[in-house]
Amino acid sequence: MTRIAVAGSLNYDLIVYVDHLPRPGEAIRAREMRREPGGKGFNQAVAARRLGADVTFTGAVGDDDFGRQYERLLDEQGIGRTGLRRLEAPTGMAVPIVDDRGENVIVVVLGANLALTPAQLDPAALAADALLVQGELHPHTTLRALELASGLKILNAAPADLALSPAVALADVVVVNEVEAADMGGADRMRDLGAGTVVVTLGARGAQVDNTLIPAPRVRALDTTGAGDAFCAALAVALAEGSGLESAIAWANRAGAAACLRRGTSGAMPARSDLEVL
């Protein structure tokens, strides 16, 4: 079985559904609020597990109810948590706001995620066919995880931060959306830093690598919140299984599209059978 290590965030989501995204200074009423475990790290670990990989997780929670819920949830998903640390800082929280079109904005309080230090990483938990990291841990911790990795190194530079530039230099593959690509200085800059490959996701249009556009399946999106996480996990699994880059991106596009068909974040992560339907 393909082994995927994920080093990343655990943010409990309070998802708010509205008619339209609020403008600066505007107060609006929400139609609904949902509570769901999320965080880019957790979402991507769940997706990789549902896609058939053996997954180990590295991250941090607080000594609070949310942290204990995550420990139980990782066990229930069959995700190894030898790399999980319980710290004094509170477990991370996020507030995604989703409109009628499925578009979203997200406010994140990282808490224990930022408190995890490079010295607290367990090298054994990072040993896998591929390591998948994001931008919601401290940049120094993300960098150290990549330094300790023995397999393929994949960085989802989200949220974008120029402090991730040293991590970009170590990554075999960097995944960013259009906004994140611009915030990181563009795909050419990331390649100049040393990134092996830069994949730019383009929402409903698909994803681009170099000058090649790989289209995504057309779906009627219900909620796009977890699409990027599903894409990254599927890309990691496909590459670790030996797929070529363009084939892996096409499969990842299907995972992202499948995630849009359900509401929520971790709960919307697709199984392998969902991708076969698309």
Side-chain angles (χ1 to χ4, degrees):
M1 183 181 290
T2 300
R3 296 177 301 123
I4 303 293
V6 178
S9 57
L10 298 161
N11 296 318
Y12 209 88
D13 291 338
L14 302 178
I15 309 168
V16 180
Y17 294 93
V18 298
D19 293 330
H20 65 274
L21 298 179
R23 296 164 295 185
E26 181 183 16
I28 61 175
R29 291 182 179 180
R31 294 192 314 275
E32 180 186 356
M33 184 183 79
R34 292 162 52 102
R35 295 173 51 177
E36 185 175 351
K40 289 184 179 298
F42 183 71
N43 296 339
Q44 293 179 18
V46 169
R49 184 74 187 101
R50 290 182 180 173
L51 292 171
D54 181 11
V55 182
T56 58
F57 188 83
T58 292
V61 295
D63 187 11
D64 50 33
D65 288 342
F66 289 131
R68 285 182 281 277
Q69 286 184 46
Y70 269 118
E71 291 172 349
R72 184 184 73 252
L73 288 165
L74 288 167
D75 291 342
E76 289 175 353
Q77 293 284 341
I79 297 170
R81 58 179 177 92
T82 56
L84 185 69
R85 300 288 177 261
R86 188 187 291 184
L87 306 179
E88 293 183 4
T91 301
M93 298 286 291
V95 183
I97 304 173
V98 184
D99 71 9
D100 278 344
R101 298 174 300 169
E103 297 297 329
N104 69 85
V105 295
I106 305 174
V107 180
V108 181
V109 182
L110 290 173
N113 298 298
L114 275 184
L116 183 68
T117 67
Q120 292 169 317
L121 298 179
D122 178 4
L126 300 170
D129 298 310
L131 170 67
L132 180 56
V133 296
Q134 313 82 35
E136 291 186 329
L137 300 180
H138 193 285
H140 291 166
T141 304
T142 299
L143 176 64
R144 184 57 178 157
L146 289 167
E147 289 173 342
L148 292 170
S150 56
L152 185 71
K153 304 174 185 183
I154 303 172
L155 168 65
N156 175 210
D161 186 341
L162 290 177
L164 288 170
S165 295
V168 168
L170 288 183
D172 297 306
V173 181
V174 177
V175 182
V176 286
N177 64 25
E178 290 178 281
V179 173
E180 292 155 356
D183 289 345
M184 292 299 295
D188 287 342
R189 176 185 180 273
M190 287 184 278
R191 283 190 288 265
D192 289 343
L193 285 171
T197 299
V198 178
V199 179
V200 181
T201 59
L202 306 172
R205 289 175 288 157
Q208 184 169 325
V209 57
D210 296 325
N211 293 318
T212 301
L213 174 65
I214 300 164
R218 288 176 174 261
V219 298
R220 182 165 185 162
L222 182 62
D223 183 350
T224 62
T225 308
D229 293 331
F231 179 96
C232 291
L235 183 67
V237 172
L239 291 174
E241 290 179 348
S243 293
L245 180 60
E246 292 189 16
S247 295
I249 293 173
W251 202 61
N253 279 336
R254 288 157 63 187
C260 293
L261 299 177
R262 300 189 183 102
R263 280 183 165 188
T265 49
S266 62
M269 296 299 100
R272 209 170 186 110
S273 58
D274 296 322
L275 274 62
E276 292 171 358
V277 171
L278 287 177

